[in-house]
Amino acid sequence: MKHLVIGSTRANSGKSATVLGLGLHLQARGFTVGYGKPLGTFATLSLPDEAEGQEADVEFITRALNLPPQACRPTLCLLDRLTLAARLRGQDTTDYRAQLSAYSQMAAEDVVLVEGPANTAEGAIFGLTLQAIAESLDARILLVVRYGSLLAADHVIVAKERLGDRPVGVLLNDIPLKEMETVRTTLVPYLEGQGIPVLGLMPESRILRSVSVAALVEKLTAEVLYAPDRLPLSDIMIEELKIGAMDANSAQFFFRAAHNKAVVTSGARVDIQLAALSTSTNCLVLTGPSNLHPEVQQRAAELEVPILAVKVDTLSAVKIIETCLGGVRLHEGSKVRYVRELMANHVDFDRLLQLLDL
């Protein structure tokens, strides 16, 4: 049995999607797979006061990989405010690293994929940093680094210095297509020259970073003013966000540049709402007064575009939606096949397996 820890240098780098894609491909090659996430984290704007059960991505990955109970390692610590406060006050003296050793004593799958913390520092007060997890399990680390610019090299080098010989390689994620050739010809040779295998170059994906309207309803605590009968809100995906705060003529031009978008605007701006519905809009989010204009409702019904009303102001609504679009929400099942295909096309599985002696 081998453990492979999936780590990153910052949050929302794509660790969960990587775990899912790796698990699917390992199973397709005949390997038995286990999965665990020792330190539970949450995709919220701030830490919850108290965690309620298991996080959604963990549950979804377990189901998507069709893992039996014995192949699922427990989450040892849920990162919420109460847990943090108890640890800092000395009320929680649990030796989590000792508990982590139990991972090695469970059922012996060929490979156990262990999802690490958000970055190389998170989990330190619990003894569950990325390095500590890897050392406790005698595991290699696959680093997932979200590409922003060629400065990604700095993050990889610093992570390598901190983690020593644990990293098996790096997967560079979310690379804009216009940057891909530069990454191939400049960044990859540099990292390889530093002894860091580059095992995948994942292109930027709006599909993976999209969010369902159902998720927006939950995160915004929104009232649904209109929902199409034929399509569930969980199947209507938002890829971009626009704010409607200009005149109607400017709005038409502004909205045409974005596809599969949500538009946040005032409930009083009927002109903006109609302008949005004349372009590729998948959801209207109305702030302020929520009296839906009959003409807007009729047009939305014709196009099957849901309309939400929120109690927060426009900037607050925008911040929440931007946070949703900033990370990959795997528990929207339409993304599983896409993750499998994306990783099949852009990850060197043969080299990874060779480096892991599998």
Side-chain angles (χ1 to χ4, degrees), residues 212-244:
S212 70
V213 174
L216 292 186
V217 172
E218 176 189 347
K219 295 297 182 183
L220 292 165
T221 318
E223 176 188 358
V224 181
L225 300 182
Y226 167 74
D229 295 329
R230 189 178 63 88
L231 288 173
L233 297 183
S234 58
D235 286 351
I236 303 174
M237 306 303 292
I238 304 301
E239 297 179 11
E240 297 187 66
L241 172 65
K242 294 294 181 184
I243 305 172

Side-chain angles (χ1 to χ4, degrees), residues 41-187:
T41 53
F42 299 87
T44 53
L45 291 175
S46 58
L47 288 176
D49 289 332
E50 185 174 10
E52 297 182 2
Q54 203 172 41
E55 59 179 296
D57 278 353
V58 171
E59 293 180 355
F60 182 80
I61 289 172
T62 300
R63 292 197 309 271
L65 295 178
N66 195 27
L67 298 179
Q70 65 270 22
C72 303
R73 274 49 175 178
T75 294
L76 305 178
C77 177
L78 292 169
L79 201 61
D80 56 46
R81 289 182 182 275
L82 290 179
T83 302
L84 281 169
R87 190 71 170 185
L88 293 172
R89 292 170 183 152
Q91 297 164 342
D92 174 17
T93 58
T94 305
D95 186 348
Y96 290 103
R97 288 192 68 169
Q99 290 189 0
L100 189 62
S101 64
Y103 270 41
S104 300
Q105 299 166 11
M106 297 181 70
E109 297 84 14
D110 297 324
V111 185
V112 179
L113 300 174
V114 180
E115 187 169 347
N119 52 57
T120 57
E122 187 175 86
I125 65 171
F126 301 101
L128 292 175
T129 61
L130 178 58
Q131 183 175 8
I133 292 171
E135 289 177 351
S136 295
L137 298 174
D138 192 22
R140 303 298 300 276
I141 298 169
L142 175 62
L143 274 176
V144 182
V145 176
R146 188 174 179 182
Y147 179 84
S149 71
L150 291 177
L151 290 173
D154 287 340
H155 296 280
V156 177
I157 294 299
V158 169
K160 179 69 165 61
E161 290 174 351
R162 290 181 178 179
L163 301 171
D165 61 357
R166 293 290 173 185
V168 68
V170 63
L171 191 156
L172 297 171
N173 194 23
D174 213 24
I175 305 169
L177 290 179
K178 64 181 181 180
E179 294 282 325
M180 188 64 78
E181 187 59 26
T182 299
V183 172
R184 289 186 196 280
T185 59
T186 304
L187 184 54

